[in-house]
C-alpha cells in the first residue's frame, strides 16, 4: 500500500461485514511427556484473546486510520461476550469516531467460533476449534433482517464495503445478494475476501481477493508459477462472476492483480 493510499484510507469510512471470531493464544513450555499417553505436556505461561475473522479485518483497518462500521452476528456465549469486550477496548483506545459496532448483533441461535492456538518455544503445537455441531452456523432470519437494517442505515455514509467471509454462517446467500445489490444502488465499491468453492454468491462485486488454493478450488484450474496460469484463472473469475478486479494472493510470492480490461500487476 502506497503512502497516498494510506492517506486516503485515513479519511475513509468503511463498512466491514462478515464472520466475527475469537482467536485465543496459549503460550507455554514443554519439558516432559505425559505418563497417560505419548503426548507433550504444555505448561501454560501466558494466555491472550484477540479479535479474529472479520473482526480482525476491522481492527487492522482502524490501525491504518480508517473509520470502521462493524456489522456481524455473535452468540450469547463466552466468545461473543469477549468479542464485545475487545471491541469496546478498541473503541476506547482509538476513540468513538474510529469504531462503530452497534451493528454487531447477538443472536441466541448462533454459536461464536473460537480458534485456540497452543504455542511452545515459538512453535504452534496444536489448534483447537470450538464450533457448532454439524457445521451449522446459519444465523436466524430475524438476525439477518436486523443486520440488513443496520447495513441500510449506514451505507449512505460509507466510502467502501468490505465483506469478509469465513463461512461461519453470517454471510448467507440472501444477505450477500441484498448487500451487493444495495451497494451498487448507492454506487459503493465492494471488496470481498471469499471462502469456499461457490463464488456465485459474490457475483458483481468490485474486487475479489482469493488466495491461491481458493482460486484453484473455485475455478478447477491449477495455478503454476507462470504468469499465464494466473491470467487464465483471473480471466475465468472476472468473466464468470462479473467482477471488476481480481487479486490472487500468492503467499510469499506476492500477489497477482488483473482488471476486466486485461490490465495486470504481478508484485
Amino acid at each position: 500500500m502506497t503512502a497516498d493510499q494510506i492517506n486516503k484510507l485515513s479519511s475513509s469510512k468503511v463498512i466491514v461485514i462478515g464472520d466475527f471470531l475469537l482467536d485465543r493464544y496459549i503460550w507455554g513450555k514443554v519439558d516432559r511427556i505425559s505418563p497417560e499417553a505419548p503426548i507433550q505436556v504444555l505448561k501454560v505461561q501466558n494466555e491472550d484473546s484477540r479479535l479474529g475473522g472479520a473482526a480482525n479485518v476491522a481492527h487492522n483497518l482502524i490501525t491504518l486510520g480508517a473509520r470502521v462500521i462493524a456489522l456481524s452476528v455473535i452468540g450469547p456465549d463466552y466468545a461473543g461476550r469477549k468479542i464485545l469486550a475487545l471491541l469496546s477496548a478498541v473503541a476506547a483506545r482509538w476513540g468513538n469516531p474510529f469504531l462503530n459496532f452497534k451493528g454487531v448483533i447477538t443472536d441466541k441461535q448462533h454459536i461464536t467460533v473460537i480458534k485456540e492456538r497452543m504455542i511452545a518455544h515459538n512453535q504452534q503445537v496444536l489448534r483447537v476449534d470450538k464450533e457448532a455441531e454439524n457445521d451449522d452456523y446459519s444465523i436466524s432470519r430475524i438476525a439477518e433482517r436486523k443486520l440488513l437494517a443496520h447495513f441500510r442505515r449506514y451505507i449512505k455514509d460509507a466510502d467502501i464495503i468490505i465483506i469478509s467471509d469465513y463461512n461461519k454462517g453470517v454471510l448467507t446467500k440472501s444477505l450477500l445478494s441484498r448487500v451487493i445489490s444495495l451497494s451498487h444502488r448507492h454506487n459503493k465499491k465492494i471488496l470481498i475476501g471469499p471462502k469456499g468453492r461457490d463464488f456465485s454468491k459474490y457475483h458483481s462485486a468490485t474486487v475479489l481477493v482469493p488466495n491461491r488454493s481458493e482460486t484453484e478450488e473455485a475455478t478447477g484450474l491449477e495455478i503454476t508459477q507462470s504468469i499465464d496460469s494466473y491470467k487464465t484463472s483471473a480471466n475465468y473469475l472476472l468473466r464468470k462472476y462479473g467482477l471488476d478486479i481480481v487479486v490472487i494472493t500468492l503467499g510469499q510470492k506476492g500477489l497477482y492483480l488483473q482488471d476486466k480490461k486485461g490490465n495486470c500487476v504481478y508484485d
Side-chain angles (χ1 to χ4, degrees):
M1 179 173 285
T2 66
D4 287 342
Q5 288 172 318
I6 292 175
N7 288 334
K8 288 180 181 178
L9 189 60
S10 66
S11 60
S12 296
K13 183 174 285 188
V14 184
I15 292 179
V16 176
I17 180 169
D19 301 289
F20 278 25
L21 318 178
L22 183 67
D23 283 343
R24 290 265 303 149
Y25 294 86
I26 300 174
W27 288 275
K29 65 179 182 178
V30 172
D31 53 19
R32 66 191 180 94
I33 302 297
S34 171
E36 302 168 357
I39 55 173
Q40 297 174 324
V41 176
L42 178 71
K43 185 176 182 180
V44 176
Q45 296 174 312
N46 192 23
E47 299 182 37
D48 188 22
S49 295
R50 302 176 188 176
L51 294 168
N56 184 50
V57 174
H59 183 228
N60 288 340
L61 286 166
I62 291 167
T63 63
L64 291 173
R67 289 167 293 161
V68 173
I69 300 164
L71 304 180
S72 190
V73 177
I74 55 175
D77 43 33
Y78 162 78
R81 293 190 297 272
K82 188 64 177 179
I83 285 173
L84 290 177
L86 291 170
L87 289 171
S88 295
V90 171
R93 179 182 177 187
W94 292 93
N96 289 330
F98 285 93
L99 176 62
N100 176 345
F101 61 99
K102 293 178 181 178
V104 178
I105 299 161
T106 299
D107 177 12
K108 64 182 181 180
Q109 295 183 23
H110 193 65
I111 294 175
T112 316
V113 174
I114 304 175
K115 294 187 179 293
E116 197 166 61
R117 298 162 179 87
M118 300 182 184
I119 303 165
H121 311 293
N122 297 317
Q123 181 175 345
Q124 185 172 317
V125 296
L126 182 67
R127 195 178 94 179
V128 178
D129 291 356
K130 299 176 182 178
E131 303 186 327
E133 293 184 12
N134 303 319
D135 294 333
D136 183 13
Y137 306 98
S138 298
I139 59 175
S140 67
R141 290 292 181 88
I142 293 174
E144 184 177 322
R145 287 196 293 268
K146 287 181 179 178
L147 202 58
L148 188 60
H150 281 290
F151 186 78
R152 290 179 186 275
R153 176 183 176 186
Y154 294 117
I155 189 172
K156 292 180 182 179
D157 296 327
D159 297 306
I160 187 169
I161 314 302
I162 294 182
I163 298 173
S164 186
D165 193 355
Y166 283 78
N167 202 26
K168 301 302 181 186
V170 172
L171 296 170
T172 63
K173 279 192 173 183
S174 57
L175 179 64
L176 277 168
S177 176
R178 289 177 173 85
V179 165
I180 292 173
S181 177
L182 282 167
S183 298
H184 284 304
R185 193 179 306 170
H186 290 275
N187 296 314
K188 307 298 182 182
K189 296 187 183 300
I190 314 151
L191 186 150
I192 300 181
K195 194 73 173 179
R197 67 174 60 190
D198 179 14
F199 282 8
S200 63
K201 57 187 176 180
Y202 311 125
H203 194 279
S204 73
T206 312
V207 184
L208 193 69
V209 191
N211 62 31
R212 176 174 178 166
S213 62
E214 289 165 344
T215 302
E216 289 181 329
E217 188 176 17
T219 63
L221 301 170
E222 182 183 3
I223 294 181
T224 64
Q225 294 184 8
S226 72
I227 296 293
D228 286 342
S229 75
Y230 302 152
K231 188 169 186 176
T232 299
S233 296
N235 278 333
Y236 179 98
L237 294 175
L238 287 163
R239 292 171 182 172
K240 184 167 185 177
Y241 301 115
L243 310 168
D244 288 348
I245 298 172
V246 167
V247 182
I248 303 173
T249 60
L250 303 166
Q252 294 181 348
K253 297 182 184 297
L255 58 83
Y256 177 82
L257 180 152
Q258 185 174 320
D259 66 18
K260 62 184 179 181
K261 295 180 180 179
N263 301 310
C264 61
V265 176
Y266 177 45
D267 185 10

